[in-house]
CSV table of all heavy atoms in Angstrom, one decimal:
chain,number,residue,atom,x,y,z
K,482,ALA,N,5.3,-22.5,1.2
K,482,ALA,CA,5.9,-22.9,0.0
K,482,ALA,C,6.7,-21.8,-0.8
K,482,ALA,O,7.6,-22.0,-1.4
K,482,ALA,CB,4.8,-23.5,-1.0
K,483,ASN,N,6.1,-20.6,-0.7
K,483,ASN,CA,6.7,-19.4,-1.3
K,483,ASN,C,8.0,-19.2,-0.6
K,483,ASN,O,9.1,-18.9,-1.2
K,483,ASN,CB,5.8,-18.2,-1.2
K,483,ASN,CG,4.6,-18.4,-2.1
K,483,ASN,OD1,4.6,-19.2,-3.0
K,483,ASN,ND2,3.6,-17.7,-1.8
K,484,LEU,N,8.1,-19.2,0.7
K,484,LEU,CA,9.4,-18.9,1.4
K,484,LEU,C,10.4,-20.1,1.2
K,484,LEU,O,11.6,-19.7,1.1
K,484,LEU,CB,9.1,-18.8,2.9
K,484,LEU,CG,8.3,-17.6,3.3
K,484,LEU,CD1,8.0,-17.6,4.8
K,484,LEU,CD2,8.9,-16.2,2.9
K,485,ASP,N,10.0,-21.3,0.9
K,485,ASP,CA,10.9,-22.4,0.6
K,485,ASP,C,11.5,-22.2,-0.7
K,485,ASP,O,12.6,-22.7,-1.0
K,485,ASP,CB,10.1,-23.8,0.7
K,485,ASP,CG,9.9,-24.1,2.2
K,485,ASP,OD1,10.7,-23.7,3.1
K,485,ASP,OD2,9.0,-25.0,2.4
K,486,ARG,N,10.8,-21.5,-1.6
K,486,ARG,CA,11.3,-21.3,-3.0
K,486,ARG,C,12.2,-20.0,-3.0
K,486,ARG,O,12.6,-19.5,-4.1
K,486,ARG,CB,10.3,-20.9,-3.9
K,486,ARG,CG,9.2,-21.9,-4.3
K,486,ARG,CD,8.3,-21.5,-5.5
K,486,ARG,NE,7.5,-20.4,-5.3
K,486,ARG,CZ,7.9,-19.1,-5.7
K,486,ARG,NH1,8.9,-18.9,-6.3
K,486,ARG,NH2,7.0,-18.1,-5.5
K,487,ASP,N,12.5,-19.5,-1.8
K,487,ASP,CA,13.4,-18.3,-1.7
K,487,ASP,C,12.7,-17.0,-2.3
K,487,ASP,O,13.3,-16.0,-2.7
K,487,ASP,CB,14.7,-18.4,-2.4
K,487,ASP,CG,15.5,-19.5,-1.7
K,487,ASP,OD1,15.4,-19.7,-0.5
K,487,ASP,OD2,16.4,-20.1,-2.4
K,488,ALA,N,11.3,-17.0,-2.2
K,488,ALA,CA,10.6,-15.8,-2.6
K,488,ALA,C,10.8,-14.8,-1.6
K,488,ALA,O,10.7,-15.0,-0.4
K,488,ALA,CB,9.1,-16.1,-2.8
K,489,PRO,N,11.1,-13.5,-1.9
K,489,PRO,CA,11.2,-12.5,-1.0
K,489,PRO,C,9.9,-12.1,-0.3
K,489,PRO,O,8.8,-12.5,-0.8
K,489,PRO,CB,11.6,-11.2,-1.7
K,489,PRO,CG,11.2,-11.5,-3.1
K,489,PRO,CD,11.3,-13.0,-3.4
K,490,ALA,N,9.9,-11.6,0.9
K,490,ALA,CA,8.8,-11.3,1.7
K,490,ALA,C,8.7,-9.8,1.8
K,490,ALA,O,9.6,-9.1,2.0
K,490,ALA,CB,8.7,-11.9,3.0
K,491,LEU,N,7.4,-9.2,1.8
K,491,LEU,CA,7.2,-7.8,2.1
K,491,LEU,C,6.3,-7.8,3.3
K,491,LEU,O,5.2,-8.3,3.3
K,491,LEU,CB,6.5,-7.2,0.8
K,491,LEU,CG,5.9,-5.8,1.1
K,491,LEU,CD1,7.0,-4.7,1.4
K,491,LEU,CD2,5.1,-5.2,0.0
K,492,LEU,N,6.7,-7.0,4.4
K,492,LEU,CA,5.9,-6.9,5.5
K,492,LEU,C,5.4,-5.5,5.6
K,492,LEU,O,6.1,-4.5,5.3
K,492,LEU,CB,6.8,-7.2,6.8
K,492,LEU,CG,7.1,-8.7,6.9
K,492,LEU,CD1,8.6,-8.8,6.6
K,492,LEU,CD2,6.8,-9.0,8.3
K,493,ILE,N,4.1,-5.4,5.7
K,493,ILE,CA,3.5,-4.0,5.9
K,493,ILE,C,3.1,-3.8,7.3
K,493,ILE,O,2.4,-4.6,7.9
K,493,ILE,CB,2.3,-3.9,5.0
K,493,ILE,CG1,2.6,-4.2,3.5
K,493,ILE,CG2,1.6,-2.6,5.2
K,493,ILE,CD1,1.4,-4.3,2.7
K,494,VAL,N,3.9,-2.8,7.9
K,494,VAL,CA,3.8,-2.6,9.3
K,494,VAL,C,3.2,-1.2,9.6
K,494,VAL,O,3.7,-0.3,9.1
K,494,VAL,CB,5.2,-2.6,10.0
K,494,VAL,CG1,5.1,-2.6,11.4
K,494,VAL,CG2,5.9,-4.0,9.5
K,495,THR,N,2.1,-1.2,10.3
K,495,THR,CA,1.4,0.1,10.6
K,495,THR,C,1.8,0.5,12.0
K,495,THR,O,1.8,-0.3,13.0
K,495,THR,CB,-0.1,-0.1,10.4
K,495,THR,OG1,-0.5,-1.0,11.5
K,495,THR,CG2,-0.5,-0.4,9.1
K,496,ALA,N,2.1,1.7,12.0
K,496,ALA,CA,2.4,2.4,13.4
K,496,ALA,C,1.4,3.5,13.5
K,496,ALA,O,0.5,3.7,12.7
K,496,ALA,CB,3.9,2.9,13.4
K,497,LEU,N,1.5,4.2,14.6
K,497,LEU,CA,0.5,5.3,14.9
K,497,LEU,C,0.5,6.3,13.7
K,497,LEU,O,-0.6,6.8,13.4
K,497,LEU,CB,0.7,6.0,16.2
K,497,LEU,CG,0.3,5.0,17.4
K,497,LEU,CD1,0.6,5.8,18.7
K,497,LEU,CD2,-1.1,4.7,17.4
K,498,SER,N,1.7,6.7,13.3
K,498,SER,CA,1.7,7.8,12.3
K,498,SER,C,2.2,7.4,10.9
K,498,SER,O,2.2,8.1,10.0
K,498,SER,CB,2.6,9.0,12.9
K,498,SER,OG,3.9,8.5,13.1
K,499,ASP,N,2.9,6.3,10.8
K,499,ASP,CA,3.4,5.9,9.6
K,499,ASP,C,3.2,4.4,9.2
K,499,ASP,O,2.8,3.6,10.1
K,499,ASP,CB,4.9,6.1,9.6
K,499,ASP,CG,5.5,7.5,9.7
K,499,ASP,OD1,4.9,8.2,8.8
K,499,ASP,OD2,6.3,7.8,10.4
K,500,VAL,N,3.3,4.1,7.9
K,500,VAL,CA,3.2,2.7,7.4
K,500,VAL,C,4.6,2.4,6.9
K,500,VAL,O,5.1,3.1,6.1
K,500,VAL,CB,2.1,2.6,6.4
K,500,VAL,CG1,2.0,1.1,5.8
K,500,VAL,CG2,0.8,2.9,7.1
K,501,TYR,N,5.2,1.3,7.4
K,501,TYR,CA,6.5,0.8,6.9
K,501,TYR,C,6.4,-0.3,5.9
K,501,TYR,O,5.6,-1.2,6.2
K,501,TYR,CB,7.3,0.5,8.1
K,501,TYR,CG,7.6,1.5,9.1
K,501,TYR,CD1,6.9,1.7,10.2
K,501,TYR,CD2,8.5,2.5,8.8
K,501,TYR,CE1,7.0,2.8,11.1
K,501,TYR,CE2,8.8,3.6,9.8
K,501,TYR,CZ,8.0,3.7,10.8
K,501,TYR,OH,8.2,4.8,11.7
K,502,LEU,N,7.2,-0.3,4.9
K,502,LEU,CA,7.4,-1.4,4.0
K,502,LEU,C,8.7,-2.0,4.2
K,502,LEU,O,9.7,-1.4,4.0
K,502,LEU,CB,7.2,-0.8,2.6
K,502,LEU,CG,5.9,-0.2,2.1
K,502,LEU,CD1,5.9,0.4,0.8
K,502,LEU,CD2,4.7,-1.0,2.5
K,503,VAL,N,8.7,-3.2,4.7
K,503,VAL,CA,9.9,-3.9,5.1
K,503,VAL,C,10.1,-5.1,4.1
K,503,VAL,O,9.3,-6.0,4.1
K,503,VAL,CB,9.8,-4.4,6.6
K,503,VAL,CG1,11.1,-5.2,6.9
K,503,VAL,CG2,9.5,-3.2,7.5
K,504,HIS,N,11.1,-5.1,3.4
K,504,HIS,CA,11.5,-6.3,2.4
K,504,HIS,C,12.4,-7.2,3.2
K,504,HIS,O,13.4,-6.7,3.9
K,504,HIS,CB,12.1,-5.7,1.2
K,504,HIS,CG,11.1,-4.9,0.4
K,504,HIS,ND1,10.4,-5.4,-0.6
K,504,HIS,CD2,10.9,-3.6,0.4
K,504,HIS,CE1,9.6,-4.5,-1.2
K,504,HIS,NE2,9.9,-3.3,-0.6
K,505,ALA,N,12.2,-8.4,3.0
K,505,ALA,CA,13.2,-9.5,3.7
K,505,ALA,C,13.2,-10.6,2.9
K,505,ALA,O,12.5,-11.0,2.0
K,505,ALA,CB,12.5,-9.8,5.1
K,506,THR,N,14.4,-11.4,3.2
K,506,THR,CA,14.6,-12.7,2.6
K,506,THR,C,14.4,-13.7,3.7
K,506,THR,O,14.7,-13.4,4.8
K,506,THR,CB,15.9,-12.8,1.9
K,506,THR,OG1,16.9,-12.6,3.0
K,506,THR,CG2,16.2,-11.8,0.8
K,507,ALA,N,14.0,-14.9,3.3
K,507,ALA,CA,13.7,-16.0,4.3
K,507,ALA,C,14.7,-17.1,4.2
K,507,ALA,O,15.1,-17.5,3.1
K,507,ALA,CB,12.3,-16.4,4.2
K,508,ARG,N,15.0,-17.7,5.4
K,508,ARG,CA,15.6,-19.0,5.4
K,508,ARG,C,14.9,-19.9,6.4
K,508,ARG,O,14.7,-19.5,7.5
K,508,ARG,CB,17.1,-18.7,5.9
K,508,ARG,CG,18.0,-19.9,6.2
K,508,ARG,CD,19.5,-19.5,6.6
K,508,ARG,NE,19.4,-18.8,7.9
K,508,ARG,CZ,19.5,-19.5,9.1
K,508,ARG,NH1,19.6,-20.9,9.0
K,508,ARG,NH2,19.5,-18.9,10.2
K,509,ARG,N,14.7,-21.2,6.0
K,509,ARG,CA,14.0,-22.0,6.8
K,509,ARG,C,14.9,-22.6,7.9
K,509,ARG,O,16.1,-22.9,7.6
K,509,ARG,CB,13.4,-23.2,6.0
K,509,ARG,CG,12.3,-24.0,6.9
K,509,ARG,CD,11.7,-25.1,6.0
K,509,ARG,NE,10.6,-25.7,6.8
K,509,ARG,CZ,9.6,-26.2,6.3
K,509,ARG,NH1,9.4,-26.2,5.1
K,509,ARG,NH2,8.7,-26.8,7.1
K,510,LEU,N,14.4,-22.6,9.2
K,510,LEU,CA,15.2,-23.0,10.3
K,510,LEU,C,14.9,-24.6,10.5
K,510,LEU,O,13.8,-24.9,10.6
K,510,LEU,CB,14.8,-22.3,11.6
K,510,LEU,CG,15.2,-20.7,11.5
K,510,LEU,CD1,14.6,-20.1,12.7
K,510,LEU,CD2,16.7,-20.6,11.4
K,511,PRO,N,15.9,-25.4,10.5
K,511,PRO,CA,15.7,-26.8,10.6
K,511,PRO,C,15.4,-27.2,12.1
K,511,PRO,O,15.7,-26.5,13.0
K,511,PRO,CB,17.0,-27.4,10.2
K,511,PRO,CG,18.1,-26.3,10.6
K,511,PRO,CD,17.3,-25.1,10.3
K,512,GLY,N,14.7,-28.3,12.3
K,512,GLY,CA,14.4,-28.7,13.6
K,512,GLY,C,13.4,-27.9,14.3
K,512,GLY,O,13.5,-27.5,15.5
K,513,ALA,N,12.4,-27.4,13.6
K,513,ALA,CA,11.3,-26.6,14.3
K,513,ALA,C,10.5,-27.3,15.4
K,513,ALA,O,10.2,-28.5,15.2
K,513,ALA,CB,10.3,-26.0,13.1
K,514,ALA,N,10.2,-26.6,16.3
K,514,ALA,CA,9.4,-27.1,17.4
K,514,ALA,C,7.9,-27.3,16.9
K,514,ALA,O,7.4,-26.6,16.1
K,514,ALA,CB,9.4,-26.2,18.6
K,515,MET,N,7.3,-28.4,17.4
K,515,MET,CA,5.9,-28.7,17.0
K,515,MET,C,5.8,-28.9,15.5
K,515,MET,O,6.8,-29.4,14.9
K,515,MET,CB,5.0,-27.6,17.5
K,515,MET,CG,5.1,-27.5,19.0
K,515,MET,SD,3.9,-26.6,20.0
K,515,MET,CE,3.3,-25.3,19.1
Side-chain angles (χ1 to χ4, degrees):
N483 294 342
L484 294 175
D485 284 336
R486 294 188 301 98
D487 295 329
L491 169 66
L492 290 107
I493 302 173
V494 183
T495 57
L497 289 177
S498 60
D499 289 314
V500 175
Y501 298 96
L502 303 177
V503 178
H504 294 267
T506 57
R508 177 180 64 89
R509 190 169 189 159
L510 299 173
M515 302 191 326

